[in-house]
Amino acid sequence: MCIFCEIIKGNIPSSKIYEDDNYLAILDISQTTYGHTLVMPKKHYDNFLQMPENEAGELMSLVNTLANKIVSKLDAKGCNILINTNEVAGQSVLHTHVHIIPRYDLNDTVSFSFKENKFDLNEILNKINN
Ligand code: 5GP
Ligand code: ZN
């Protein structure tokens, strides 16, 4: 059984900030920033792309609610909402989860770099839309 299924079953302790029949939100053990949270469906899917659209939508709706609550209660100035999908994208636990990473200032330890474009946008559009 995967580590998040063990947490969901209560076999491994966690700091729960939300729970209902289908979803669980816990504090990430690594606390990248103060309040870093993971929101997950209780039903095991290896990753977000495997979820049926309606369940993915329900998960993201809950993420919206919880991110608002976390940002406001912890006095954050914003947040990153992140889903790593597959190892190539940094996914280390193969049970769908959404990171909510509250942000407090521009000089914290979290950084994403969006590099200068070197691709042909029309070629990409054709591949996606055809
Ligand atoms: P990923 O890299 O798969 O997107 O994120 C996995 C996250 O799960 C990491 O941020 C890691 O710190 C967190 N994590 C791994 N094991 C545990 C655990 O046992 N408890 C909690 N609360 N978080 C965990
Ligand atoms: Zn699982």
Side-chain angles (χ1 to χ4, degrees), residues 102-127:
R103 301 297 297 269
Y104 300 91
D105 66 76
L106 292 171
N107 300 316
D108 63 22
T109 53
V110 185
S111 84
F112 300 94
S113 96
F114 296 95
K115 301 201 174 72
E116 207 174 298
N117 174 51
K118 56 178 191 267
F119 298 111
D120 177 350
L121 300 193
N122 282 326
E123 180 192 302
I124 300 169
L125 276 185
N126 283 334
K127 283 194 181 173

Side-chain angles (χ1 to χ4, degrees), residues 24-68:
L24 177 68
I26 61 173
L27 293 179
D28 191 302
I29 203 149
S30 72
Q31 289 299 287
T32 299
T33 64
Y34 187 81
H36 180 181
T37 295
L38 303 172
V39 189
M40 63 191 75
K42 288 189 170 177
K43 185 168 175 187
H44 180 100
Y45 293 101
D46 279 357
N47 66 54
F48 185 73
L49 297 182
Q50 292 184 352
M51 297 183 78
E53 190 178 332
N54 64 320
E55 292 180 37
E58 223 175 73
L59 173 63
M60 295 314 287
S61 169
L62 176 60
V63 167
N64 174 280
T65 302
L66 292 177
N68 272 302

Side-chain angles (χ1 to χ4, degrees), residues 73-91:
K73 294 270 187 167
L74 298 184
D75 267 333
K77 297 201 177 80
C79 66
N80 293 104
I81 292 171
L82 179 70
I83 306 175
N84 297 328
T85 301
N86 288 337
E87 195 180 349
V88 70
Q91 187 179 7

